[in-house]
Amino acid sequence: MLIIFIIFSGLILYNINKMTNSLCQQKEIPEERQPKVFRTINVLITILLLSSYVEILFT
């Protein structure tokens, strides 16, 4: 189950990064701020994925 969840998480992170890139282009976010935007979104999505894994693991 862990391997399936890791693959699923990778796909989610990839799609979220694609959507974040589209957001940065659409809102014309400067190049200097884009790494901070990506880092923030990736950290928050990773926390969400880890918490959902822990919830699935202990239920």
Side-chain angles (χ1 to χ4, degrees), residues 1-19 41-42 44-54 56:
M1 179 155 139
L2 177 64
I3 303 224
I4 293 171
F5 196 83
I6 290 173
I7 292 170
F8 179 69
S9 298
L11 291 173
I12 289 175
L13 280 171
Y14 175 75
N15 285 329
I16 294 293
N17 281 328
K18 277 181 30 181
M19 289 189 288
I41 291 175
N42 283 337
L44 293 173
I45 294 298
T46 303
I47 290 169
L48 179 67
L49 288 169
L50 285 173
S51 66
S52 64
Y53 179 72
V54 169
I56 290 170

Side-chain angles (χ1 to χ4, degrees), residues 16-35:
I16 294 293
N17 281 328
K18 277 181 30 181
M19 289 189 288
T20 304
N21 189 35
S22 297
L23 174 74
C24 288
Q25 290 176 354
Q26 182 180 11
K27 297 295 181 182
E28 298 176 357
I29 296 175
E31 290 286 328
E32 308 85 49
R33 288 190 53 212
Q34 284 185 14

